[in-house]
Amino acid sequence: GAVVSQHPSRVICKSGTSVKIECRSLDFQATTMFWYRQFPKQSLMLMATSNEGSKATYEQGVEKDKFLINHASLTLSTLTVTSAHPEDSSFYICSARGGGTYSNQPQHFGDGTRLSIL
Amino acid sequence: DAKTTQPPSMDCAEGRAANLPCNHSTISGNEYVYWYRQIHSQGPQYIIHGLKNNETNEMASLIITEDRKSSTLILPHATLRDTAVYYCIVRVPSGNTPLVFGKGTRLSVIA
């Protein structure tokens, strides 16, 4: 089946540090990638949607200057949390979907990155 | 906002079938029903999806009512490893349309 690889799986760093998370589709071309965030005991919340070579579309309330998304190729997207603070500590999960514009193909998810800001 | 309603929790005995219901009474004609599950501290895992016909794969069966206002995910022989939060999601087949997660059903498989 389709595989999405996400790295790193866990990050612990000091407040003010910038952290980059990579998301790769290993065996398919991801025309669209999505980034989600999940706080403890809550469901996944969509942060942004990105297409290869285009600027990401951010959900309301998500700061685009704080969460930088780059979708440089059909197999790679990165999320950079800039100047991270303790309130940014969360479980970040990427997702990718292949197929065309009207595809019913499912989204496939990475295993997530647990970010802890001290 | 999620367009589906699921019970918050269910228990199932190991080896028995687990039947997880989902209501999606406002589903539109071109929306698909997707099922995912999330085991603790992992990313969601795709299970199955369908439009109007019943579907079956190696993991589960999906039964969609004729009026498409509800569906049931069936795990035929539940094991302890099936303990997870199960999400039922409806989505239009458009490339940029994301999956919107509700609260799901926490299934506990009991030995």
Side-chain angles (χ1 to χ4, degrees):
Chain A
V3 177
V4 174
S5 175
Q6 185 174 343
H7 293 281
S9 59
R10 183 169 184 114
V11 180
I12 302 173
C13 57
K14 295 180 180 180
S15 184
T17 305
S18 291
V19 178
K20 179 184 282 188
I21 303 169
E22 285 192 355
C23 179
R24 295 181 184 271
S25 56
L26 297 186
D27 53 0
F28 67 101
Q29 292 189 324
T31 49
T32 309
M33 285 188 168
F34 307 88
W35 288 93
Y36 293 80
R37 181 167 53 180
Q38 186 175 32
F39 292 106
K41 298 187 179 181
Q42 294 186 20
S43 189
L44 283 77
M45 293 180 59
L46 180 69
M47 299 176 67
T49 301
S50 72
N51 291 306
E52 182 256 342
S54 302
K55 289 185 178 179
T57 301
Y58 291 81
E59 295 299 298
Q60 191 173 8
V62 178
E63 299 174 57
K64 63 179 181 181
D65 294 330
K66 180 163 190 64
F67 299 100
L68 301 179
I69 293 171
N70 185 293
H71 191 166
S73 76
L74 285 172
T75 59
L76 173 64
S77 177
T78 60
L79 168 68
T80 301
V81 183
T82 61
S83 187
H85 292 287
E87 58 267 27
D88 298 322
S89 298
S90 187
F91 191 49
Y92 292 86
I93 309 169
C94 74
S95 179
R97 177 188 299 131
T101 303
Y102 300 102
S103 171
N104 64 14
Q105 290 300 306
Q107 283 177 222
H108 296 281
F109 289 80
D111 276 338
T113 297
R114 189 160 300 284
L115 177 62
S116 300
I117 308 298
L118 305 178
Chain B
D1 291 339
K3 295 180 60 176
T4 62
T5 304
Q6 299 176 251
S9 64
M10 292 181 63
D11 291 339
C12 177
E14 188 178 20
R16 304 296 295 269
N19 297 285
L20 293 94
C22 179
N23 285 322
H24 31 80
S25 59
T26 62
I27 192 170
S28 60
N30 61 345
E31 285 184 308
Y32 282 71
V33 180
Y34 294 81
W35 282 84
Y36 284 78
R37 70 181 182 184
Q38 186 178 27
I39 297 170
H40 183 62
S41 295
Q42 296 182 20
Q45 178 188 21
Y46 166 74
I47 301 173
I48 199 167
H49 74 287
L51 180 62
K52 54 182 179 181
N53 296 323
N54 298 337
E55 302 286 346
T56 296
N57 63 21
E58 65 278 5
M59 290 183 68
S61 294
L62 172 60
I63 308 299
I64 302 174
T65 58
E66 192 169 342
D67 64 7
R68 302 208 325 120
K69 291 184 177 182
S70 66
S71 61
T72 301
L73 179 74
I74 302 173
L75 307 179
H77 305 286
T79 70
L80 298 178
R81 285 179 290 184
D82 292 322
T83 293
V85 178
Y86 286 76
Y87 296 98
C88 166
I89 304 168
V90 297
R91 173 189 169 264
V92 173
S94 168
N96 279 359
T97 305
L99 294 172
V100 177
F101 286 78
K103 296 182 179 180
T105 296
R106 181 171 297 278
L107 175 68
S108 297
V109 180
I110 303 168

